[in-house]
Amino acid sequence: DVKVTQSSRYLVKRTGEKVFLECVQDMDHENMFWYRQDPGLGLRLIYFSYDVKMKEKGDIPEGYSVSREKKERFSLILESASTNQTSMYLCASSPGQGVHGYTFGSGTRLTVV
Amino acid sequence: GENVEQHPSTLSVQEGDSAVIKCTYSDSASNYFPWYKQELGKRPQLIIDIRSNVGEKKDQRIAVTLNKTAKHFSLHITETQPEDSAVYFCAASLGSARQLTFGSGTQLTVLP
């Protein structure tokens, strides 16, 4: 019944490594989003995409990039991981061209050491 | 951009009492206001939402109210139960944008 799948539940990476976080949805949703969740800060938007090959910066894009080569897959890339990127990363998707509630993935807890 | 403030950050209530969580938003063009519940170790899940053309919406023990003039909206949970214990997030969307801006979350604890 899982509709938004994040490839890893826990990851530990070293400072300076390139990190890929994968998200796949099977609901044929147009819109996909990456957020990071930190205590006391809620969910902050990193990047989002409304269509294949399309991407837009969110509120905190620095140090991140994304790729959306297929409609169902949205990847978050940490070009050179740093300790301040230790966080919970949540992927979400939503349907259509208007605004709708999200379906979230179960999250990836990334620790950068 | 949009800014969403959420209060309180923590809330403890006795089982059976009501709980109210409030959010304010900054942009009068915001038109969609969902609420999410996140249980410990789980993904956030949509529990109720409201659009700007509606003032109140109910679903069993939960309700959301919207005051567009004051730019605030609230989540009301009646007859709270221990399984209502979770972190609750409000969110708002701006105009035609499809992305949501979230509040900082409220940890609700229902004491048996």
Side-chain angles (χ1 to χ4, degrees):
Chain A
D1 188 44
V2 175
K3 298 181 172 63
V4 179
T5 303
Q6 294 184 232
S7 55
S8 303
R9 189 78 174 97
Y10 298 95
L11 274 180
V12 179
K13 297 292 182 180
R14 294 195 179 278
T15 301
E17 279 193 79
K18 191 169 186 176
V19 181
F20 294 85
L21 303 183
E22 305 289 344
C23 176
V24 177
Q25 51 93 5
D26 64 0
M27 297 171 287
D28 200 36
H29 283 176
E30 283 77 8
N31 313 308
M32 297 189 74
F33 310 88
W34 276 106
Y35 286 82
R36 63 177 282 177
Q37 181 177 13
D38 299 289
L41 297 178
L43 282 68
R44 293 180 292 165
L45 182 62
I46 305 171
Y47 267 96
F48 60 97
S49 169
Y50 292 171
D51 199 356
V52 175
K53 305 282 188 183
M54 177 268 186
K55 59 186 178 183
E56 290 286 347
K57 294 179 180 179
D59 298 319
I60 52 164
E62 297 77 18
Y64 304 94
S65 63
V66 290
S67 172
R68 193 167 181 198
E69 297 294 320
K70 294 184 178 182
K71 187 177 184 179
E72 66 270 19
R73 186 181 297 270
F74 192 36
S75 303
L76 180 69
I77 303 156
L78 285 66
E79 298 291 343
S80 177
S82 65
T83 55
N84 62 11
Q85 292 178 310
T86 292
S87 187
M88 170 66 83
Y89 290 87
L90 287 166
C91 174
S93 70
S94 70
Q97 298 187 3
V99 62
H100 301 278
Y102 294 170
T103 299
F104 279 94
S106 54
T108 296
R109 182 163 295 281
L110 173 67
T111 302
V112 182
V113 297
Chain B
E2 177 67 282
N3 184 46
V4 177
E5 294 193 359
Q6 183 172 346
H7 300 281
S9 57
T10 61
L11 178 61
S12 293
V13 299
Q14 291 293 138
E15 183 177 357
D17 287 350
S18 296
V20 180
I21 303 170
K22 298 181 179 180
C23 289
T24 60
Y25 58 98
S26 59
D27 198 310
S28 56
S30 294
N31 56 16
Y32 176 66
F33 307 92
W35 285 88
Y36 290 84
K37 175 184 180 182
Q38 186 178 31
E39 296 176 66
L40 189 62
K42 297 190 176 180
R43 69 190 74 195
Q45 294 203 307
L46 179 69
I47 55 172
I48 196 167
D49 57 10
I50 193 167
R51 295 193 183 266
S52 57
N53 57 348
V54 176
E56 183 176 3
K57 184 176 179 180
K58 290 183 179 179
D59 183 3
Q60 300 183 334
R61 294 186 299 108
I62 61 173
V64 57
T65 58
L66 172 64
N67 183 325
K68 288 188 291 183
T69 303
K71 292 191 283 188
H72 69 70
F73 57 112
S74 300
L75 178 71
H76 304 254
I77 307 174
T78 59
E79 300 173 17
T80 53
Q81 302 167 3
E83 52 264 38
D84 294 329
S85 295
V87 178
Y88 291 82
F89 292 99
C90 64
S93 73
L94 175 60
S96 61
R98 305 176 204 178
Q99 67 271 26
L100 297 172
T101 299
F102 285 83
S104 55
T106 296
Q107 173 69 62
L108 173 65
T109 303
V110 179
L111 305 169

